Amino acid sequence: MLTLQRRQLVGHDILLARHGNHICSMRLDRSTGRVIALLDDGSVDSAPNLISPDLQLPETIQSVLRNDWKFLATVSGCVAGLAGVMIAAAFSLAGLSADPALAELMTTYQAY
């Protein structure tokens, strides 16, 4: 089931347990899967972000977009193309009509 909640970073907890209030800032290094902390004295410490590499974490909005961006872009393009075809068809039908009242009705339908 898709929960779309923020993932808890295990590395943050590990670094907080090690150093407590001596941490100035923390950042996530996605390429190595580690959380890196800058300490008061200028030193740097890091901790792994996962308990187990095969642990299945809940999905987030960012992870869904990162994994499925090609599919979402394709669907969005198809919907935009279909909408363009429908608008073009409505204007062409309005132009083919011999009755000017029908043409005016079809072109101003969005106003209602």
Side-chain angles (χ1 to χ4, degrees):
M1 185 170 133
L2 192 63
T3 57
L4 297 178
Q5 61 187 1
R6 186 180 185 282
R7 289 185 181 155
Q8 297 299 320
L9 301 177
V10 177
H12 281 179
D13 294 338
I14 294 170
L15 290 170
L16 282 171
R18 283 185 197 163
H19 302 289
N21 291 334
H22 298 289
I23 298 174
C24 292
S25 65
M26 285 194 272
R27 69 177 176 87
L28 176 63
D29 186 8
R30 289 188 192 277
S31 62
T32 60
R34 299 183 70 81
V35 176
I36 301 170
L38 177 64
L39 303 176
D40 289 351
D41 59 357
S43 62
V44 177
D45 190 14
S46 66
N49 194 33
L50 292 177
I51 297 171
S52 170
D54 26 325
L55 178 66
Q56 190 70 320
L57 294 172
E59 295 288 332
T60 62
I61 293 175
Q62 289 178 343
S63 68
V64 169
L65 290 177
R66 187 171 39 248
N67 295 335
D68 298 334
W69 71 272
K70 288 181 184 178
F71 172 73
L72 294 173
T74 303
V75 169
S76 298
C78 290
V79 168
L82 181 63
V85 167
M86 291 176 66
I87 290 171
F91 279 110
S92 67
L93 284 176
L96 292 176
S97 171
D99 186 14
L102 182 60
E104 183 179 344
L105 176 70
M106 292 178 109
T107 57
T108 60
Y109 179 74
Q110 295 294 329
Y112 296 119

